[in-house]
Amino acid sequence: MGPLLLLTSTLLSSYFHAGRTVNTQKLFTIRDITLSIEPSINVTRNTNVTLRCKAVVSSSGQEALSREYTIYKDGNTVYTKTSSTSEDLLYPLSEARVSNTGKYKCKINIEGKNMTSGVKKLTVTGLSKPVLSLNKDMVSEGEEIKATCTADGETGSIFFYFYEDSKEIQEKQVNSNQAEAKLRITSVGIHKIHCAYTVLITPDSFKSEKSSAVIVSVKELPITPVLEIFPQSKIYEGDQLDFLCTVRNVPQHPEGKLYLSQGNQLLSSGDTKVNHSMVALAKDPGEFECRFEMGDVTKFVLKMVPVTELFSVPTFTMSPAEVFQKEDMTLTCKSESFASERLRREELTYTLDPPENLLTRKGPGVFHGKALQYDFNYTCVAQARGIVKHSETLTVRPKVSVSIPKISVVGKAVLGQPLKILCQSDSGSLPINYTLLREYDELSTTIVKQPFQQAFFTVTITKPDEITKYMCEAKNNHKEAPLSKRLNATVIVPLTHPIMTVIPNPEISEGDHLYLICGVAGTPPVTFKWYRVGYEQPLNTTTSNKNNTAYQVPKVSKQDSGTYYCEAFNHANNVVISDEVNIQVRLAFWKKVVIGAFCLLAVSVLVVVSVLCFISKRGKREAAAELSVKPSSPKSDDSLTVNLTHDTEVYKAATVRVNRAAVSVWSERPPEAANDEESSMVSKEPDVEYTEVVHPRPVDPARGAADHHDYGSVEYAELNSEHPETNHYRPEVNGHQELPAPVD
């Protein structure tokens, strides 16, 4: 048992130490916290309201946690409590007031862990009726009254208002439900006093109803100010005026003050009496005041002092009403009325201000001289018996005579179009009348009244030289109006229909230089443009001071063939277009020569080939004819004779003529003759030839010697092909046919 007890004591010593206990760690979490307002968030005055703060906390131990609750109103702490129980925190608002209105929230703090509830707004309505009390209900004017206004049961920041006959006379701000004010009522009579208050709850405010009215009677003080003025009879300008301002029925220890004033001007002041002296003037207001002030009490008396003018304020005039520089003028200064019973007209004098002027006095108040070249201000001063009166300032503005006007064209002068003309003078006082003339005949007038206004006229001219007929005159006075020079400007004549000329014409060959000349009638400079149909952009654009200009196309080719036209315009801004011109470019001459030579060469070659072909065919026919001539019954002792005649009727159109003589088939033909005959046959008759062949027959011994000359058969051989055929027939013997003689 000994070792067991020792082990147990050792283990216990690990948990306990002399004078100290080791606590185990507590585990917890704040799950939720909510704030509720009971019985409702909207209540009336005097309702008992409770704010309940409920927190849901989970922990691992059995010991209670220390909870710190805080209640906030509009962000400010209003209540704090620490609790070790899990019960809800209750914050009571007994007999709630309007001042309790606000936004509330609850916060819990457990060992450094915090959680805040959502915001709830409490609204309390209803204010108590204020109560007003006065320390006096009957006072003299200016006497002080103490007024007390109470808002029973209200708390917070309160504004109190005090009213006299519904007019607010004072305001007080306090943090209690009662306010005092010192009032002074200056007007005599019966007055009603009441009060009201407003509870300020940022950002809202709640105003109470009015208190019951309290009646106050105000008695008038017997204080009377007195104003005396000497002399008391009719007063003229320049007379001496004496004033005496006093006060009567003043208390034994007055704390007042006397004031003497004329209009807004304070003349003098004093405690019980005021004296003042001055010269009477008609221009000043004739109302004088004697005023006594004691605290809030004011007493005053007013008196009117009529002052008769000794003479009226002078009038200042100029004649003539309009004057030009360095012209004569007369200034007249005169008082229209004066008090003849007090003043003689001779006593009234007039002078000019400033005295440094170039005018000469011509009589009482009459001044004469030359107008200056600049504006000048004059004032007339009238004086008599120490009274000085000034007239209104007269500003003399000498007018400037208009200078010779200048006439000019605004913009461009285009023939047949509206032309704008400006007439203007370099100097001259306004208004100025400008008149446009045409050969001294008036056309129209323009009045220039403003500094930047100008005189414009619009006309239309039909001839270029017509523009020089226009002039203008300017006038601003009764004198003769100056006349301008004649209008001189370049008149732009619009362009006529252009004509485009083509050089060379009419034939254009490749390699030629083509010139397209465009000509118009009108005022240069003229801008010319050349176009080719089918192309949007111009071929060329140029501006010339002449009325015609050429566009050159060097060494034209077949591709330059087409339709061309030109366009022109000048400063008249009218665009004119010429008629279209069709240009065809022919072959160059050397190309024509080459083609002609080539054609001739081709024809020559064709002729030579044809001749050679004919000769070749002719030789073949002759060879065939030789082969086709044979005796039908040849004998060794007979001879074959072939005679050709042109009278053979077998086929008249195909006869062979050889120098009109019968030629033997076997005889040789000269080459020249053969060629001539072939040429003749080629040109005149077809290649058909017939040959008469006579074959001798054998002698019949029975017929005797007389029948020995018998004709054999005649064969015609057609030689118009390579294989001629031989036709045999017996020709008839008649008078038109001569048979050939027999061959021995």
Side-chain angles (χ1 to χ4, degrees), residues 229-255:
I229 303 174
F230 304 96
Q232 297 180 354
S233 58
K234 190 174 183 179
I235 302 172
Y236 289 90
E237 283 184 314
D239 290 350
Q240 180 74 28
L241 288 178
D242 295 318
F243 297 90
L244 176 61
C245 178
T246 59
V247 61
R248 299 173 183 173
N249 303 322
V250 182
Q252 292 183 356
H253 303 284
E255 296 179 357

Side-chain angles (χ1 to χ4, degrees), residues 132 134 145 147 160-172 181-187 191-195 216:
L132 176 65
L134 304 177
I145 301 174
F160 286 92
Y161 307 94
F162 296 88
Y163 298 87
E164 176 190 349
D165 298 329
S166 301
K167 178 182 178 182
E168 182 181 330
I169 56 176
Q170 201 170 128
E171 175 186 333
K172 288 279 187 176
K182 294 181 180 180
L183 308 178
R184 290 182 183 272
I185 303 176
T186 58
S187 59
H191 298 275
K192 293 181 180 180
I193 308 299
H194 69 269
C195 72
V216 176

Side-chain angles (χ1 to χ4, degrees), residues 95 117 150 193 500 521 595 705:
E95 296 182 353
S117 69
T150 303
I193 308 299
M500 192 170 73
I595 293 173

Side-chain angles (χ1 to χ4, degrees), residues 487-505:
L487 180 59
N488 185 14
T490 301
V491 178
I492 300 173
V493 179
L495 300 180
T496 60
H497 183 75
I499 298 176
M500 192 170 73
T501 306
V502 181
I503 296 178
N505 193 27

Side-chain angles (χ1 to χ4, degrees), residues 194-215:
H194 69 269
C195 72
Y197 66 91
T198 298
V199 179
L200 180 62
I201 303 173
T202 307
D204 301 321
S205 62
F206 300 87
K207 192 170 184 179
S208 73
E209 58 180 316
K210 297 179 182 179
S211 70
S212 299
V214 178
I215 304 299

